[in-house]
Amino acid sequence: MKTTTYYKLTTIMVAVLLALANVSCVKQKDLKKLSGNTQGTSYHISFWSNTPADLKTVEKNLNTELARIDQQLSNYRPDSAIEQFNALISDQALPVDAEIVNLIEQARAVSIASDGCYDLTIKPLFDLWGFNHDQLSAPDAATLKSTLQNIGLTQLERLDATHLRKHNANLRIDLSSIGQGYSVNRISNLLEQQHIDNYLVEIGGELQTRGQKPDGKPWRIALEKPLSGERTLHKIITIQRTTPLAIMTSGTYRHYFDVDGIRYSHILDARTGKPVTHSTVSVSVLHDDATQADAWSTALLCLGKTAGLAAANKAGIAALFIEQQGHAFNEFNSAAMATLQQVSIK
């Protein structure tokens, strides 16, 4: 990775928090807020509870958990558990923390559903194209073909809850396309363990809500218009439901190279090893589980609108696709979007 823990190698999050901008509508004395930097990005958490919650204790527990996740899942630090696994050039059974095995298996299911477009072993391709160093280095056909031999979750076997085998000893796993959603999930669970059931948790644009504001009004989330040169409000999601809801948005328009009139997106298709060329610029996924939402938003953006809608409909995933045609942005909803209860997007 770059200098961030969960900087998206295959996705970039663009959901922003309207709820935090509208604090004047909320009883400030009741709404507690925490913010800071973590894993190379920022976090913002708003919460309240009918049960007294000590802000310092919540913050301490939060920072402890974020540091633990960083040590486990971060690809930018060579001492992390996942990078230690990547450094092992072996086709023998390798001990791995159950947390990592579980995330890989969740991502594997999404990879299969995307026909292999989305794949956690894409890291060598991302390095090859120069996205890690912000310097395009388009590979020749022979180098690309050679690198593709080291891509594919089909070459990684789960032996049991704590052991994996690389059938290709050179495989390297990158968890950034699922890890930030997982972090949101873990922090949300941590709040609930402390009897806090009204919250908005956001890490690097990935977010989850539960409950409502102290004045009974719903959480409202703003989605950006998918423009590379500016930040403009595009949609507002109003969440009337009080059960957890994760919102993850992946886009192609923040991290790319323009060279000789050609745009190279950082979204790489693991099947071809090349940047995607479709006109889908943004996919937002709404899901009960933040980890799943994170993986699916990346996978659907990789597929693009046509194949992505088919995959989302087959899996029952609620997703909003935005395609750019010239200066126009066209929206397409998966079938599950119509079934969402107490959620409106305007």
Side-chain angles (χ1 to χ4, degrees):
M1 297 184 68
K2 297 181 69 175
T3 57
T4 64
T5 303
Y6 292 126
Y7 184 88
K8 292 301 177 187
L9 299 187
T10 53
T11 180
I12 184 168
M13 294 300 122
V14 297
V16 294
L17 304 182
L18 190 66
L20 296 182
N22 289 340
V23 293
S24 61
C25 300
V26 180
K27 296 178 181 178
Q28 300 236 14
K29 65 179 181 179
D30 295 330
L31 186 66
K32 296 180 171 63
K33 295 186 291 181
L34 294 171
S35 63
N37 298 313
T38 182
Q39 304 168 353
T41 186
S42 62
Y43 70 84
H44 299 85
I45 299 172
S46 297
F47 68 91
W48 68 278
S49 175
N50 290 317
T51 303
D54 180 69
L55 190 62
K56 290 185 178 180
T57 299
V58 173
E59 185 171 24
K60 178 182 178 180
N61 293 340
L62 164 73
N63 289 330
T64 298
E65 180 63 2
L66 289 174
R68 187 194 68 79
I69 295 172
D70 187 46
Q71 175 67 47
Q72 281 287 99
L73 309 183
S74 295
N75 289 98
Y76 80 96
R77 49 185 297 177
D79 65 334
S80 70
I82 189 60
E83 278 303 296
Q84 289 179 8
F85 173 78
N86 285 342
L88 295 172
I89 310 301
S90 169
D91 60 2
Q92 302 301 305
L94 299 173
V96 185
D97 192 276
E99 186 173 40
I100 291 176
V101 175
N102 178 54
L103 282 177
I104 289 173
E105 292 309 303
Q106 288 195 61
R108 188 194 302 275
V110 178
S111 179
I112 293 171
S114 73
D115 194 30
C117 189
Y118 168 70
D119 196 296
L120 292 187
T121 64
I122 203 171
K123 190 177 191 309
L125 287 171
F126 204 82
D127 295 341
L128 182 67
W129 281 89
F131 282 99
N132 271 337
H133 303 289
D134 291 325
Q135 182 65 50
L136 180 68
S137 56
D140 57 48
T143 302
L144 182 59
K145 182 179 180 180
S146 175
T147 303
L148 278 170
Q149 295 177 1
N150 298 323
I151 306 300
L153 277 171
T154 57
Q155 301 182 84
L156 183 68
E157 180 185 2
R158 176 189 181 276
L159 300 177
D160 57 39
T162 57
H163 289 85
L164 296 169
R165 173 178 287 133
K166 300 178 184 180
H167 290 286
N168 179 337
N170 295 312
L171 286 181
R172 289 187 289 157
I173 306 299
D174 193 302
L175 296 171
S176 60
S177 63
I178 195 170
Q180 203 162 54
Y182 178 70
S183 296
V184 170
N185 206 347
R186 290 291 305 172
I187 297 306
S188 298
N189 290 341
L190 184 149
L191 293 176
E192 292 175 13
Q193 290 168 9
Q194 297 176 86
H195 308 291
I196 298 169
D197 52 11
N198 296 276
Y199 59 73
L200 191 158
V201 173
E202 176 264 336
I203 302 176
E206 311 273 32
L207 61 93
Q208 178 168 305
T209 68
R210 180 178 177 178
Q212 56 194 7
K213 297 178 184 178
D215 60 2
K217 293 183 179 179
W219 298 111
R220 301 176 73 224
I221 309 302
L223 297 183
E224 287 184 342
K225 195 170 187 177
L227 293 170
S228 59
E230 61 183 84
R231 294 183 177 274
T232 305
L233 175 66
H234 182 64
K235 290 286 185 180
I236 295 177
I237 302 177
T238 302
I239 306 170
Q240 299 282 356
R241 61 185 278 182
T242 57
T243 53
L245 179 68
I247 303 172
M248 307 286 162
T249 301
S250 301
T252 63
Y253 54 94
R254 293 292 184 201
H255 196 197
Y256 57 84
F257 297 122
D258 281 333
V259 179
D260 298 329
I262 300 174
R263 175 158 294 186
Y264 296 88
S265 167
H266 75 292
I267 303 299
L268 301 177
D269 187 330
R271 301 167 298 186
T272 66
K274 299 178 181 180
V276 298
T277 57
H278 54 64
S279 57
T280 302
V281 292
S282 174
V283 177
S284 296
V285 169
L286 287 70
H287 199 284
D288 294 345
D289 183 270
T291 307
Q292 285 287 302
D294 196 2
W296 270 106
S297 67
T298 307
L300 296 177
L301 183 62
C302 184
L303 287 169
K305 185 261 293 185
T306 302
L309 277 173
N313 288 338
K314 183 176 181 180
I317 300 297
L320 167 65
F321 292 76
I322 300 178
E323 277 200 324
Q324 184 172 8
Q325 299 292 341
H327 295 294
F329 294 95
N330 301 316
E331 299 177 4
F332 305 87
N333 288 331
S334 67
M337 288 290 284
T339 68
L340 288 175
Q341 300 293 318
Q342 298 178 303
V343 178
S344 64
I345 304 178
K346 297 181 179 179

